Amino acid sequence: MPQIPWQPKPENETAAVWRYRQNPIIGRNGNAVSNSVFNSAVVPFQDGFAGVFRCDSKSISMDIFAGFSADGIHWKIDDTPIRMYCDNQEIAQREYRYDPRVCKIDDTYYVTWCNGYHGPTIGLAKTQDFKTFTQLENAFLPYNRNGVLFPRKINGNYMMMSRPSDTGHTKFGDIFVSESPDLEYWGRHRFMMGTVEGDASAWQSTKIGPGPVPIETSEGWLLIYHGVINTCNGFVYRMGAALLDLNEPWKVLYRSKCYILAPQELYECVGDVPNVVFPCATLCDSETGRIAIYYGCADTVTGLAFTTVQELVSSLKNNSL
Ligand code: BMA
């Protein structure tokens, strides 16, 4: 594993998650055609890192692009969208692609994203080198967003979280887990967790959705997710965390009452969609427990924040619903 990006927690910081001081790491002009680069996913790859990036174009179309980096901070993102191969042209039909996640299972990298197929659903593809991608069947019927795989089979099956939705700017949303023996047929859909009513935890009262691929810890799967509240100024997206049972990951052991990161910096509050922090990937160093969180800021640029497994789990235990 290459050295992941890291800055130690500032002396005066009390929160469990802190930002990279040079944020944002990727600006709007992350490649030659982009209006904005955000909600993107990275993984360790060879001696450095690779990723799949959401770049909206200057005509405001949404698509995904491959990128590479030696240090996880400075990225070279392709100027042409990812081309996917598949033997069935019906699978290749799509209207748009956005909000990718990348999950390594054994020696293959799987990409999931919101795929426009008569409305949003979960697209799935695989690659070994981030150059040749093979598209597989869409995982679910429309309408669905935020398909996030677990990084290994659990009880013999692949598992994916998702968030059933509608065709618009969905005003509801709970997280479910589905199982598959082959990454094609999905079933055994289980409810994992939903919005929180009342003012106990109002930042997650409108909808929630899974963020990065969960991190396996001895105490459970560590999930970072987004939570949304509808305000008189529109939706506000914040980040929370949860610890899920290792064998039955739809069972929630702990879940944030207070958010772990909220739009407070200028680049998170001002942009094409103000007041959004939207996590899509983490890098985790298993030796030190260091975690680097990659998140979209105001649907415009990409930011980086840090925590550790120990710090996030213990803060969750002290701040659980
Ligand atoms: C969601 C998705 C995300 C976006 C968020 C805030 O519905 O479209 O890509 O970050 O809205 O606009």
Side-chain angles (χ1 to χ4, degrees), residues 1-2 4 215-216 283-291 309-310:
M1 171 95 156
I4 71 170
I215 296 167
E216 185 166 9
L283 296 171
C284 181
D285 182 274
S286 54
E287 243 150 70
T288 57
R290 290 174 179 176
I291 299 174
V309 172
Q310 303 85 320

Side-chain angles (χ1 to χ4, degrees), residues 38-39 54 62 98-99 145 163 168-170 207 235 237 273 276 278 299:
F38 57 107
N39 301 3
R54 171 175 174 176
M62 306 178 281
Y98 66 81
D99 292 2
R145 291 189 177 97
R163 214 282 307 284
H169 299 292
T170 315
K207 56 180 168 177
F235 289 152
Y237 282 69
V273 182
V276 178
F278 195 97
D299 284 11

Side-chain angles (χ1 to χ4, degrees), residues 36-274:
S36 44
V37 184
F38 57 107
N39 301 3
S40 299
V42 311
V43 286
F45 176 68
Q46 295 175 349
D47 299 336
F49 304 91
V52 176
F53 294 84
R54 171 175 174 176
C55 304
D56 289 9
S57 71
K58 293 184 177 76
S59 66
I60 313 300
S61 59
M62 306 178 281
D63 214 339
I64 55 178
F65 296 70
F68 300 89
S69 172
D71 61 6
I73 293 172
H74 302 91
W75 288 88
K76 174 87 193 70
I77 301 173
D78 291 350
D79 293 328
T80 49
I82 291 175
R83 183 165 165 220
M84 292 193 181
Y85 295 89
C86 59
D87 20 11
N88 181 338
Q89 282 318 299
E90 287 192 49
I91 302 176
Q93 290 178 32
R94 62 171 157 85
E95 294 131 28
Y96 48 77
R97 301 183 290 189
Y98 66 81
D99 292 2
R101 317 297 203 271
V102 181
C103 183
K104 188 177 186 204
I105 306 179
D106 303 325
D107 60 352
T108 301
Y109 301 91
Y110 293 92
V111 185
T112 52
W113 69 94
C114 179
N115 196 35
Y117 179 77
H118 306 275
T121 186
I122 306 303
L124 183 60
K126 60 180 181 179
T127 184
Q128 233 110 29
D129 56 7
F130 290 87
K131 289 193 160 55
T132 306
F133 292 80
T134 306
Q135 191 168 349
L136 309 172
E137 293 280 350
N138 288 324
F140 304 119
L141 284 169
Y143 310 117
N144 203 314
R145 291 189 177 97
N146 300 299
V148 181
L149 284 163
F150 283 79
R152 65 168 170 83
K153 287 184 175 176
I154 301 172
N155 302 321
N157 279 336
Y158 297 100
M159 297 239 182
M160 194 185 325
M161 288 173 278
S162 74
R163 214 282 307 284
S165 69
D166 64 16
T167 49
H169 299 292
T170 315
K171 284 201 174 126
F172 61 88
D174 301 335
I175 303 177
F176 291 78
V177 183
S178 308
E179 296 186 28
S180 171
D182 55 5
L183 291 168
E184 179 166 343
Y185 294 95
W186 294 89
R188 293 190 184 165
H189 313 289
R190 298 280 183 273
F191 175 81
M192 177 195 279
M193 59 179 180
T195 54
V196 182
E197 289 194 15
D199 61 2
S201 188
W203 64 272
Q204 47 186 337
S205 57
T206 299
K207 56 180 168 177
I208 60 170
V213 170
I215 296 167
E216 185 166 9
T217 77
S218 53
E219 299 199 50
W221 295 101
L222 182 56
L223 173 68
I224 295 174
Y225 65 96
H226 66 260
V228 180
I229 182 175
N230 197 8
T231 72
C232 52
N233 201 30
F235 289 152
V236 178
Y237 282 69
R238 296 182 172 86
M239 268 183 228
L243 203 60
L244 313 173
D245 185 85
L246 280 177
N247 295 313
E248 296 176 311
W250 55 91
K251 293 191 175 154
V252 179
L253 308 175
Y254 298 96
R255 172 179 176 185
S256 297
K257 178 175 163 65
C258 300
Y259 62 75
I260 61 166
L261 196 82
Q264 290 168 355
E265 297 295 329
L266 199 59
Y267 54 89
E268 299 162 341
C269 300
V270 177
D272 289 5
V273 182

